[in-house]
Amino acid sequence: MTRFLGAVFSFLTLVGLLGAVFLLLTDDVLPPEWDPFVPLDVTDPVTPVTSWKYQAALSGADECLAALETGANFTVLPDFTHNDQCFIQTQVSLTGAGQADVAPVKTRCQTALRTAMWMQHGVQPAAQELLGQGVKQLHHLSSYSCRPIRTASGASNQMSTHATAEAIDITGVTLDDGRRVMLLQGWQSSDPNVQQFFRAMRDTACTWFRTTLGPDFNRLHADHFHLQHTGWGTCR
Ligand SMILES: [Zn+2]
């Protein structure tokens, strides 16, 4: 009898534990931003689980497009091929990212998703904190361009990541009140908050992109941040 009661007790404990695990994995108990089984939502707060979800979203076309739906305005375009060095896979026309408008730019979904996460979690909070308002429009110099890398000493013989739309060049923003703040004038602005804002743009881009180049990198980047989907963490 004691053994029988012991077995019943063990069984009930097991059921209870499984129930607790099940409850933890349902959205009602575990917030979605903490649940590794819920795909990335751009607008969710950032948690230690976010980077895992982010990598999963960047890993494939369907995953990327689903994640982009949650925090950007875009239309899906067919894949584009100019030649074997110049093409756009998982092509989208991006028109908004992280609560800001974007002049339509044809790019790769992964570049668009990185831009949306950066806008949502880097640029918008920095603008609120340093400039007291949000960003209404993000300005860019496009993404796709079939050309070699430009270096301070001329063109290289290696193709730019722009040739596969794996990079986007950002020049500045228009704030909610209509004020335009651009990198070329803003990097050394007489307003310390504007200076800090552009440094915050650069630093937060390093979280959401794998290569970030700005005015501190070389003079070719005096007027734009080069933000790249690929790379080994260069952040200057
Ligand atoms: Zn660039």
Side-chain angles (χ1 to χ4, degrees), residues 147 162 167-169 221 224-227:
R147 62 167 173 81
H162 285 288
I168 186 166
D169 292 337
H221 296 85
H224 70 276
F225 293 119
H226 170 92
L227 309 180

Side-chain angles (χ1 to χ4, degrees), residues 33-34 46-52:
E33 64 269 25
W34 284 95
V46 174
T47 72
V49 183
T50 306
S51 67
W52 189 87

Side-chain angles (χ1 to χ4, degrees), residues 6-221:
V8 168
F9 185 72
S10 300
F11 177 73
L12 289 176
T13 306
L14 184 65
V15 168
L17 277 174
L18 287 173
V21 168
F22 176 78
L23 279 175
L24 275 174
L25 292 177
T26 60
D27 298 351
D28 292 347
V29 177
L30 190 63
E33 64 269 25
W34 284 95
D35 187 341
F37 295 101
V38 175
L40 181 75
D41 183 317
V42 171
T43 61
D44 275 348
V46 174
T47 72
V49 183
T50 306
S51 67
W52 189 87
K53 292 182 186 222
Y54 190 41
Q55 293 314 314
L58 292 166
S59 69
D62 292 344
E63 292 84 348
C64 184
L65 292 169
L68 196 58
E69 285 280 351
T70 65
N73 294 321
F74 65 100
T75 50
V76 179
L77 299 175
D79 285 358
F80 163 84
T81 305
H82 175 68
N83 60 33
D84 60 355
Q85 290 187 306
C86 298
F87 52 85
I88 311 177
Q89 282 173 351
T90 322
Q91 186 183 198
V92 298
S93 172
L94 184 69
T95 55
Q99 329 297 329
D101 293 335
V102 177
V105 55
K106 289 177 182 172
T107 189
R108 197 187 154 103
C109 180
Q110 281 88 346
T111 307
L113 181 59
R114 288 186 184 277
T115 303
M117 289 297 277
W118 173 57
M119 282 301 297
Q120 181 80 31
H121 302 291
V123 180
Q124 293 286 13
Q128 288 292 349
E129 187 194 326
L130 295 163
L131 306 172
Q133 53 185 315
V135 168
K136 186 163 71 175
Q137 188 168 4
L138 178 68
H139 300 293
H140 64 82
L141 294 171
S142 94
S143 171
Y144 172 79
S145 177
C146 184
R147 62 167 173 81
I149 293 177
R150 293 188 191 115
T151 72
S153 52
S156 108
N157 53 15
Q158 200 187 333
M159 291 305 280
S160 163
T161 45
H162 285 288
T164 47
E166 290 178 294
I168 186 166
D169 292 337
I170 301 296
T171 51
V173 300
T174 295
L175 301 170
D176 284 339
D177 70 0
R179 183 174 157 215
R180 211 174 144 96
V181 285
M182 303 300 281
L183 180 61
L184 184 60
Q185 300 82 20
W187 190 252
Q188 301 297 350
S189 172
S190 54
D191 180 343
N193 286 340
V194 171
Q195 276 204 29
Q196 274 190 54
F197 171 66
F198 280 112
R199 279 150 188 83
M201 276 183 93
R202 189 265 315 272
D203 294 346
T204 55
C206 300
T207 302
W208 303 108
F209 290 85
R210 294 178 78 177
T211 303
T212 298
L213 308 178
D216 278 354
F217 182 68
N218 66 21
R219 61 186 169 79
L220 295 176
H221 296 85

